[in-house]
Amino acid sequence: MNNTAVETPGLRIVADENIPALERFFGDLGTLRRCPGRTLSREQLSGADILLVRSVTEVNQSLLQGTPVRFVGSCTIGTDHLDIPWLERNGIHWSAAPGCNANAVVEYVFCALAALEVDWRGRSFGIVGCGNVGGLLQKRLHALGASCAVYDPWLPDNPDSAPLAQVLGRDIVCLHAPLVKGGRYPSLHMIGPEQLSHIRDGAVLISAGRGAVLDSRALLQRLKRKPCFRTVLDVWENEPEIDTELLQRVDLATPHIAGYSDDGKLAGTRQVREGLSALMDLALPPMAPETSGNSATIRIVPGNARSGEADLGAGQGGAMADLLLQMYDPRVDDRRLREAASDTEPMAQGFDRLRREYPKRLEFCHYTAPAEVLNEEELQQLAVLGLMCK
């Protein structure tokens, strides 16, 4: 749906067509026009007061110079696509949605391990970047009794802080750092050839933060060597023009959807509305809490893990892994991305299409499982992850 409009009086709003629940959260504020975020142009903003984007839109002087835009809201946790110094110098308010999809990304990590048939229990974790996502993962790991080490130069007092080389030497390494291109602690290509040498053979590397934190050419060269570690990539350098040779080498590949739960996307839209209300002093009426549209819990039982389109099996992770894969199976997204790469459609178009047409995905809290089929340890661990068993 491109360049369609909902007519109501008030503010003139231009928004990325892929932002969910726009009408619910912004339809009462003015004229709402949806546009493709990847190709958004200055001309489309010639009459706009408000710009709402996701991470695919670079918001800078080139886009906004000469437009009447007074507020930019990004319904995402990251802000590397916003030229914040330029916005602030020009008196343009901005807001983002930090933490809105952190829970979804943490759930992605555990489902990815289940898909790889990796039993995380008894393994050590390394977390690079301990903001909203990495911090929540750390909290869950503590609750699960798992060992973890953290590298985040912005948080030197973190109780699990360790040198980067030690963090990368853990059994399971999770990259959740934001993309920072300058300043005291830049993260662009922070994980390069030297850093990759610290990842042990047989380990698992999961990158679900920002693609350019990891040097993709260095990773490709490392993966060509045998033996090596297993790799899960959700974020890529140069999205949507991702490296298809690297795609062929990784164990699990998804199109930047780790945080694409319905719950997380709705939370992001709500947070930006709240930011608009506060920064523009609009005193907007409060909105009812967002829901996924599914108030009833979905009952699942071990032994039914399927892809939704093909039987992919439950792996060797036991009942716990089986239940995780029923709630979200990243192998489905992996298969779709590889099919897009082998199609006649250009890779960039296929990558964006998969994100645009992403099916509804509910977080663990919407599911329940029978307690009698699980042991006490599994019940406690699933409760930490958010699945209710009764």
Side-chain angles (χ1 to χ4, degrees):
M1 179 169 54
N2 297 342
N3 298 313
T4 58
V6 176
E7 294 292 340
T8 54
L11 296 169
R12 299 163 297 178
I13 304 170
V14 173
D16 185 315
E17 63 184 355
N18 291 328
I19 297 174
L22 278 169
E23 285 76 13
R24 185 199 311 176
F25 288 101
F26 294 96
D28 62 326
L29 306 183
T31 302
L32 179 58
R33 182 186 183 193
R34 291 174 174 264
C35 299
R38 186 79 69 180
T39 58
L40 192 66
S41 67
R42 184 188 302 180
E43 290 70 28
Q44 291 170 306
L45 302 177
S46 60
D49 301 303
I50 308 297
L51 172 61
L52 306 176
V53 300
R54 292 188 61 81
S55 59
V56 299
T57 303
E58 294 290 329
V59 181
N60 49 31
Q61 180 178 0
S62 176
L63 180 65
L64 296 184
Q65 183 77 59
T67 73
V69 170
R70 295 179 288 141
F71 174 87
V72 174
S74 183
C75 302
T76 60
I77 60 174
T79 58
D80 52 275
H81 56 297
L82 307 181
D83 187 342
I84 293 173
W86 187 88
L87 294 176
E88 294 180 345
R89 284 198 306 270
N90 286 273
I92 300 174
H93 298 292
W94 66 274
S95 180
C100 67
N101 64 358
N103 188 64
V105 179
V106 171
E107 292 182 352
Y108 174 95
V109 168
F110 285 95
C111 289
L113 293 173
L116 293 178
E117 302 182 6
V118 172
D119 189 347
W120 54 266
R121 291 169 291 189
R123 304 286 187 95
S124 62
F125 282 77
I127 302 173
V128 179
C130 204
N132 287 299
V133 175
L136 181 60
L137 177 60
Q138 179 190 26
K139 181 179 179 180
R140 294 272 167 83
L141 291 172
H142 281 172
L144 291 166
S147 169
C148 66
V150 167
Y151 175 77
D152 192 324
W154 298 100
L155 300 171
D157 295 329
N158 189 300
D160 295 320
S161 285
L164 181 58
Q166 291 184 22
V167 173
L168 295 174
R170 292 296 184 110
D171 298 321
I172 300 168
V173 179
C174 302
L175 306 183
H176 300 296
L179 180 60
V180 180
K181 296 182 179 179
R184 186 177 180 185
Y185 300 117
S187 63
L188 178 65
H189 284 186
M190 177 171 62
I191 309 300
E194 178 183 351
Q195 291 74 27
L196 289 170
S197 69
H198 294 295
I199 301 179
R200 66 181 69 165
D201 291 336
V204 178
L205 173 66
I206 301 175
S207 180
R210 285 293 183 261
V213 169
L214 178 58
D215 184 338
S216 60
R217 298 309 299 174
L219 176 62
L220 178 60
Q221 293 306 311
R222 180 67 180 85
L223 294 181
K224 288 180 178 179
R225 292 163 44 193
K226 299 293 182 180
C228 201
F229 48 83
R230 305 181 74 182
T231 309
V232 178
L233 289 190
D234 179 62
V235 292
W236 307 75
E237 273 203 275
N238 305 313
E239 293 177 13
E241 294 281 0
I242 70 172
D243 187 333
T244 54
E245 185 179 3
L246 179 58
L247 170 63
Q248 295 170 1
R249 293 276 180 175
V250 302
D251 297 275
L252 197 61
T254 54
H256 200 155
I257 48 72
Y260 259 37
S261 71
D262 269 37
D263 307 75
K265 289 189 285 188
L266 288 172
T269 310
R270 175 184 54 78
Q271 285 180 235
V272 168
R273 177 187 166 97
E274 292 172 350
L276 172 64
S277 179
L279 293 170
M280 300 290 286
D281 196 22
L282 297 179
L284 300 179
M287 302 293 292
E290 67 278 352
T291 67
S292 68
N294 191 324
S295 57
T297 56
I298 302 169
R299 187 173 176 81
I300 54 178
V301 296
N304 289 339
R306 294 179 181 272
S307 72
E309 296 181 7
D311 186 356
L312 297 178
Q316 303 300 315
M320 191 173 191
D322 184 288
L323 292 173
L324 291 175
L325 293 176
Q326 287 186 63
M327 293 184 287
Y328 170 59
D329 192 336
R331 293 172 298 183
V332 178
D333 290 322
D334 174 272
R335 186 181 68 247
R336 290 173 180 164
L337 182 56
R338 294 180 195 277
E339 288 174 350
S342 63
D343 201 353
T344 56
E345 180 183 30
M347 183 69 257
Q349 291 183 21
F351 191 90
D352 277 346
R353 174 179 52 79
L354 292 173
R355 287 163 55 84
R356 183 176 62 251
E357 300 175 357
Y358 195 67
K360 173 175 283 192
R361 179 174 127 213
L362 301 177
E363 294 184 7
F364 295 174
C365 61
H366 296 280
Y367 294 87
T368 184
E372 61 270 17
V373 300
L374 301 163
N375 61 43
E376 188 62 32
E377 180 185 21
E378 290 172 329
L379 288 172
Q380 292 175 356
Q381 291 169 342
L382 287 170
V384 169
L385 295 176
L387 175 64
M388 294 297 101
C389 301
K390 53 188 177 183

